[in-house]
Amino acid sequence: MAKAYSDSIPDQMGSDLDEAFEKARLQHRARREAAQAATARAARWGGFVRDPGYTDTLVWRSVSLAQAKGAEESAAEELQEAHATMKRLSARSNKEEARIFGHVESPTGGGEADLIDSEGCTIATSPIDKLGYYAVVTEATGESARIEIRDAQGQLAVLDGRPVELTPGLMARRDFTSGRCGKVEPAPGEPDEQVEIPDLIGETAADARAALGELGDFRISYDESYSDDAPAETVIAQAPDPGRTLMPGGLVLLGISLGPEPQQTMPDLVGRSEEEARKGLAELRYSAVQFSQVVDRKNAGRVVKQTPEAGAAVGEDTEIRLCMGVAARLMPDLVGRTRKEALEVLVPDYVDAPTIREEPGDGPADIVLEQDPKAGEAVGDARVTLVISIGRREEENGEEKVPTMPDVSGKTRAQALKLLKAEGIEEAEFDEKAARRRGARVVEQTPPAGKPLKSSLRVKLTFAKPE
């Protein structure tokens, strides 16, 4: 006997298609989680672009995040940008090039990575894509250079404290976090396997390079640091570890001793310009300089506070923070972000409490539709206003009509969620396990069908197999 909730073969096919779409969405989520796992593996090794499947999972992660926000256009842009980024990252350096690449975690996104020589001149530049990745490629001149990170408004956000030598074939990774408490964590990559790597600890850099050259054509990256226990120019760390295997052409990271660390003290930078502060730090070795801005019209463009204080000891792992005075903060681009994300960026760095105005929108609820000031405009003492979507509302006879609870009785999990989403309801409470049982349908719903839906109303569904 035919069941009450399936009167025809087309209805059953529609139900099956809805469930198939839901399974595909879960598969997308699994691929996004795989991308995050690949990112974690990549953080351990500089050769992360060789990780199998990393390109695909990163692209899927970009698309899934964009679709989760209801921004299909953004997903298409991020998909294209993800492919372009991976093409830059995965392209192997030739013998005349040096390549520095990495990831920048930033609350506002965007910006650029600049490669700066010892005289403060920009050698090469790479945009930071929406996923936070960059890849700077330049001529291998043998000179020393540093990475500088600038945000989307062009303000200096991070200055790398660990210079790199632009040697032929260099593949160096530099990861950064910019924002309220940024720091630098350069990390190496994950090897392939084939040739056994010998124990190089204690060898001179030249002997280690010769030993690797006898085993195969390996790419070698050097990470220099001070050591009280090892003479200068000797190997104090290596990756892969001794006994591990690596395919010829893979990346070997060697930690090279610079000898005992010289005594360094923090200069007095308060009152200096950004350029003067950079010159004052040029001879020091440190972890990173974190720049932040505070509204101070009298000291605009100058350091108003520094950490550590003048005269304090500075070591290779020291993080330096400089607070720069600005006439006004520049408003970040918040349109398309969620209410929570926008408030995390604004409070308390820009304002203590922005003005929130809620209006109906075509997309999902709790998304920023408009902002004042606009992106890139000065905030200063002006009030910040955000227009937040409360979901979709229809108009009837010139008056707004509040959406009502649809009748989802007898519907599958996928069908019920689809009907709710069409009314602007993104979440519903129900037993996930019961909803996924074969033949399960909605047998009870709260609120009942036809009741007006308010943004604060909680929707509850009960799933069971109809008798």
Side-chain angles (χ1 to χ4, degrees):
M1 182 175 67
K3 296 181 180 180
Y5 56 83
S6 180
D7 297 328
S8 65
I9 293 177
D11 287 342
Q12 185 62 48
M13 291 178 63
S15 173
D16 291 341
L17 287 173
D18 284 335
E19 292 186 358
F21 177 81
E22 181 65 16
K23 289 180 180 179
R25 190 182 67 83
L26 293 176
Q27 290 175 348
H28 291 179
R29 179 186 300 173
R31 298 186 75 167
R32 185 172 70 250
E33 293 172 353
Q36 294 169 342
T39 303
R41 293 196 302 273
R44 296 193 297 270
W45 280 95
F48 73 100
V49 293
R50 303 299 178 189
D51 186 78
Y54 184 73
T55 301
D56 290 340
T57 52
L58 183 61
V59 171
W60 271 104
R61 178 188 180 213
S62 166
V63 176
S64 299
L65 289 175
Q67 289 178 338
K69 296 179 181 179
E72 296 181 1
E73 295 83 358
S74 177
E77 292 176 1
E78 290 195 8
L79 175 61
Q80 182 178 5
E81 196 162 331
H83 279 301
T85 299
M86 294 311 301
K87 184 177 181 180
R88 294 201 313 273
L89 292 176
S90 59
R92 188 169 179 176
S93 297
N94 62 42
K95 294 183 179 180
E96 302 302 324
E97 290 180 340
R99 185 182 302 267
I100 301 93
F101 57 91
H103 180 263
V104 179
E105 183 176 345
S106 167
T108 57
E112 66 179 24
D114 297 331
L115 188 63
I116 310 297
D117 65 15
S118 57
E119 297 181 355
C121 298
T122 301
I123 303 174
T125 297
S126 169
I128 301 172
D129 67 19
K130 293 181 180 179
L131 300 180
Y133 289 92
Y134 72 92
V136 180
V137 182
T138 186
E139 180 182 358
T141 62
E143 298 179 355
S144 177
R146 300 175 188 241
I147 287 291
E148 287 185 2
I149 302 299
R150 293 190 176 272
D151 62 21
Q153 282 76 43
Q155 296 177 333
L156 183 63
V158 179
L159 174 63
D160 189 7
R162 310 185 70 177
V164 294
E165 299 295 330
L166 302 179
T167 54
L170 171 70
M171 291 282 285
R173 177 169 181 168
R174 291 289 187 268
D175 289 344
F176 307 97
T177 299
S178 68
R180 298 183 181 93
C181 300
K183 64 179 181 179
V184 180
E185 296 182 357
E190 188 171 11
D192 299 321
E193 297 184 355
Q194 224 172 65
V195 176
E196 184 174 331
I197 301 299
D199 185 356
L200 302 173
I201 305 298
E203 301 288 340
T204 66
D207 290 343
R209 185 166 54 248
L212 291 173
E214 293 177 358
L215 296 176
D217 183 20
F218 292 104
R219 293 177 293 121
I220 305 175
S221 178
Y222 300 97
D223 187 9
E224 297 179 330
S225 61
Y226 292 107
S227 172
D228 295 331
D229 303 322
E233 292 298 317
T234 57
V235 178
I236 56 176
Q238 70 176 79
D241 295 329
R244 295 291 299 273
T245 56
L246 183 68
M247 181 178 294
L251 178 68
V252 177
L253 177 69
L254 297 180
I256 306 298
S257 171
L258 293 173
E261 183 174 4
Q263 295 297 321
Q264 302 181 124
T265 57
M266 182 69 182
D268 186 0
L269 302 178
V270 174
R272 297 192 185 186
S273 66
E274 178 187 302
E275 184 63 28
E276 291 171 339
R278 286 176 27 161
K279 291 180 179 179
L281 297 171
E283 301 301 324
L284 300 182
R285 289 188 67 87
Y286 49 85
S287 174
V289 180
Q290 173 70 41
F291 289 86
S292 58
Q293 291 78 39
V294 63
V295 177
D296 188 338
R297 294 181 178 86
K298 292 183 179 180
N299 294 294
R302 299 194 174 275
V303 179
V304 297
K305 184 179 179 181
Q306 68 177 62
T307 304
E309 296 180 354
V314 175
E316 189 177 33
D317 298 328
T318 300
E319 293 181 4
I320 300 173
R321 298 182 182 179
L322 300 180
C323 187
M324 305 296 297
V326 293
R329 298 294 300 271
L330 298 181
M331 186 70 175
D333 187 0
L334 302 176
V335 174
R337 295 197 173 204
T338 64
R339 180 197 301 256
K340 180 180 178 181
E341 291 172 341
L343 293 179
E344 285 177 348
V345 172
L346 290 176
V347 180
D349 286 359
Y350 292 83
V351 291
D352 292 330
T355 301
I356 303 294
R357 191 170 76 245
E358 296 183 335
E359 294 184 1
D362 293 333
D366 270 349
I367 299 297
V368 178
L369 301 176
E370 300 177 17
Q371 66 179 64
D372 183 32
K374 299 184 182 301
E377 294 181 349
V379 177
D381 297 328
R383 297 178 61 183
V384 173
T385 301
L386 299 179
V387 179
I388 307 292
S389 170
I390 57 173
R392 190 169 50 196
R393 288 187 179 179
E394 298 177 356
E395 292 188 0
E396 185 173 342
N397 298 325
E399 298 180 357
E400 288 186 341
K401 179 183 177 183
V402 178
T404 57
M405 177 69 182
D407 184 3
V408 295
S409 299
K411 304 297 184 183
T412 66
R413 175 186 178 280
Q415 292 171 335
L417 293 179
K418 185 176 181 181
L419 289 174
L420 291 173
K421 188 173 183 180
E423 293 295 337
I425 301 298
E426 297 292 327
E427 296 183 359
E429 297 180 6
F430 57 90
D431 186 336
E432 186 74 26
K433 186 176 181 180
R436 293 188 178 281
R437 291 196 180 101
R438 187 176 183 82
R441 297 292 190 274
V442 177
V443 295
E444 185 178 350
Q445 67 178 62
T446 303
K451 184 172 181 177
L453 289 173
K454 299 180 180 179
S455 59
S456 60
L457 192 62
R458 299 170 65 182
V459 175
K460 297 183 179 180
L461 304 177
T462 301
F463 286 85
K465 189 174 182 179
E467 298 294 333

